[in-house]
Amino acid sequence: MVGLLFLVAASVKSAQLPFSAWLPRAMEGPTVSSALFYGSLSVHIGVYLLLRVYPVWEPVMLVKVLVIIIGLSTAIVGSMISQVQATAKTQIAYSSLAQIGLIFVEIALGWHYLALLHFAANAFLRTYQLLVSPSVMSYLIHEQFYSYNPNKAQLFSFLPKKLYYSLYMLSVKEYNLDTLWYQYMWLPFKKAGRSLHPLRSTFAEIIFIVLMVLGVVFYLLYPTDAAYQYTFIAAIYGAISLILVLIAATERFSAIRAWIYVAMNQVFFMLSIVQQHRFHFTDIVFYLSGTVGAFAGGLLALNWVKTKENTIRLNEFNGHIYEHPNYALLFLVSALTIVGFPISPTFLGFDILFSEIEFSHRLLLVLNCLTFVILKIAVLRIYARVFLGQHVKTYHEVAFRSS
């Protein structure tokens, strides 16, 4: 199980199948950052992870076989997709993850020195390709006008025409990886969150607040031995934390309500772990200092924007960063702090809390991990919907699609 979890982590970080769709999307950022992070550093972290933990999964044949299957599949599919993409960055992204797939195979076969050499060579090559891609595109456009050969044999032209055209269309559509992930991974979470929207009633919110106050009183301010005997309370708090963050991640009307639910989620998340362990009070205060400060900063930013714009709804992108860049910066800093951005008090608080979850607390571990992942989506979604995108006021200039 440990080997399989390391394999999943490495596959996600190195954009191996079926997690390949994120890498080309990340290339939409500035070319220099794409070269440094996604061309050389970020996508090769999975390779480094597999090399470092090789003694853990080396005796397990199942993990070795899966590493080879994932690597070969990614190499084949990635190379086909890279052949037909219209943008240089997307071509480089899929070519890079195809090479990383081959490195996965090399690691599984025990060829570690070859894998390290391949690792470094691919990182340097992709960084260089990304940095010179504008010049290369200019050259290729010139070649297309003056030296184009439409009858040149393609890589898979020996295949039957129907199969060839099918593979071509699948490659153009990037094997529908985005659609599959949206349909089978993200959509169920959205449906689950929307099914919980009846809990946004005043009665349910009063119950949440009462439970939160009771937890703070009996586990933080006046802890008693009797309060720690009922271990099922930790699971209840963990479930409430997950419910709140799911509602916040699917809220479409009030940005302030979603932000308040995020803050309540943080408190219930803390109480679910505190119920199982006695923490030093200063540890809890340190964690809450980041959460409370971030909540206050974000609430101020949202209230100021709402006061000036009358309403801020989450059913569309509002683009208020055009007219309120200072509020956008304040909310962004608050959002990053509340999700545990490194060097923030919340980051260290999360570390303290998670380190105390024991392996026997499986249900609590699953609930808290799901909460932690969806929390980031919920918070950054609020920021994106309120401050990013085309401005709701139509008099702001907008670039033409052709540019």
Side-chain angles (χ1 to χ4, degrees), residues 248-284:
T250 52
E251 173 65 39
R252 296 187 67 86
F253 296 101
S254 173
I256 294 177
R257 174 192 283 163
W259 186 246
I260 292 173
Y261 274 42
V262 164
M264 292 172 62
N265 149 263
Q266 293 286 75
V267 178
F268 278 107
F269 170 82
M270 174 198 66
L271 290 173
S272 67
I273 302 175
V274 169
Q275 200 282 332
Q276 297 281 357
H277 301 87
R278 290 179 183 269
F279 288 88
H280 197 279
F281 190 71
T282 54
D283 294 338
I284 301 302

Side-chain angles (χ1 to χ4, degrees), residues 119-334:
F119 175 121
N122 188 59
F124 286 127
L125 173 64
R126 302 310 172 187
T127 303
Y128 175 74
Q129 283 183 325
L130 284 165
L131 292 176
V132 302
S133 56
S135 301
V136 173
M137 291 299 294
S138 177
Y139 169 77
L140 289 176
I141 290 171
H142 178 274
E143 286 293 296
Q144 184 177 5
F145 274 107
Y146 296 103
S147 305
Y148 179 61
N149 179 14
N151 299 317
K152 182 181 177 181
Q154 300 299 318
L155 185 61
F156 298 100
S157 57
F158 63 90
L159 294 173
K161 287 300 181 183
K162 186 172 290 188
L163 177 60
Y164 178 83
Y165 293 141
S166 299
L167 290 174
Y168 176 81
M169 290 307 301
L170 281 172
S171 299
V172 168
K173 294 183 176 182
E174 301 175 51
Y175 281 75
N176 290 322
L177 291 173
D178 271 346
T179 304
L180 291 173
W181 271 104
Y182 179 81
Q183 189 71 29
Y184 297 107
M185 183 58 65
W186 176 234
L187 202 56
F189 279 113
K190 291 178 70 173
K191 289 180 179 178
R194 289 170 183 168
S195 68
L196 297 169
H197 279 198
L199 295 177
R200 295 182 302 173
S201 64
T202 304
F203 178 72
E205 289 172 350
I206 291 173
I207 293 177
F208 289 149
I209 293 172
V210 169
L211 290 174
M212 185 170 61
V213 171
L214 290 175
V216 170
V217 170
F218 289 111
Y219 293 112
L220 297 182
L221 301 179
Y222 305 103
T224 60
D225 293 333
Y228 290 92
Q229 294 178 0
Y230 305 102
T231 56
F232 66 89
I233 295 177
I236 293 175
Y237 279 143
I240 293 174
S241 176
L242 180 59
I243 288 170
L244 289 172
V245 79
L246 278 171
I247 294 175
T250 52
E251 173 65 39
R252 296 187 67 86
F253 296 101
S254 173
I256 294 177
R257 174 192 283 163
W259 186 246
I260 292 173
Y261 274 42
V262 164
M264 292 172 62
N265 149 263
Q266 293 286 75
V267 178
F268 278 107
F269 170 82
M270 174 198 66
L271 290 173
S272 67
I273 302 175
V274 169
Q275 200 282 332
Q276 297 281 357
H277 301 87
R278 290 179 183 269
F279 288 88
H280 197 279
F281 190 71
T282 54
D283 294 338
I284 301 302
V285 170
F286 191 74
Y287 167 75
L288 287 176
S289 66
T291 301
V292 173
F295 169 68
L299 190 62
L300 280 173
L302 292 176
N303 268 318
W304 286 336
V305 174
K306 184 178 180 181
T307 301
K308 294 179 179 297
E309 303 294 339
N310 296 324
T311 181
I312 42 173
R313 298 165 67 86
L314 296 178
N315 60 344
E316 61 182 351
F317 291 91
N318 293 275
H320 289 309
I321 195 172
Y322 281 93
E323 297 183 356
H324 309 293
N326 295 330
Y327 301 155
L329 177 61
L330 174 59
F331 187 84
L332 178 61
V333 172
S334 302

Side-chain angles (χ1 to χ4, degrees), residues 338-356:
I338 210 166
V339 299
F341 190 73
I343 77 171
S344 67
T346 319
F347 170 75
L348 299 176
F350 276 131
D351 191 42
I352 293 170
L353 292 174
F354 267 114
S355 64
E356 294 297 328

Side-chain angles (χ1 to χ4, degrees), residues 79-112:
S79 63
M80 286 195 293
I81 295 176
S82 67
Q83 295 289 322
V84 298
Q85 292 306 302
T87 62
K89 277 190 171 183
T90 311
Q91 290 180 7
I92 295 170
Y94 279 107
S95 298
S96 182
L97 64 89
Q99 291 296 319
I100 293 172
L102 295 178
I103 300 175
F104 270 41
V105 176
E106 293 162 2
I107 295 172
L109 295 176
W111 303 341
H112 292 179

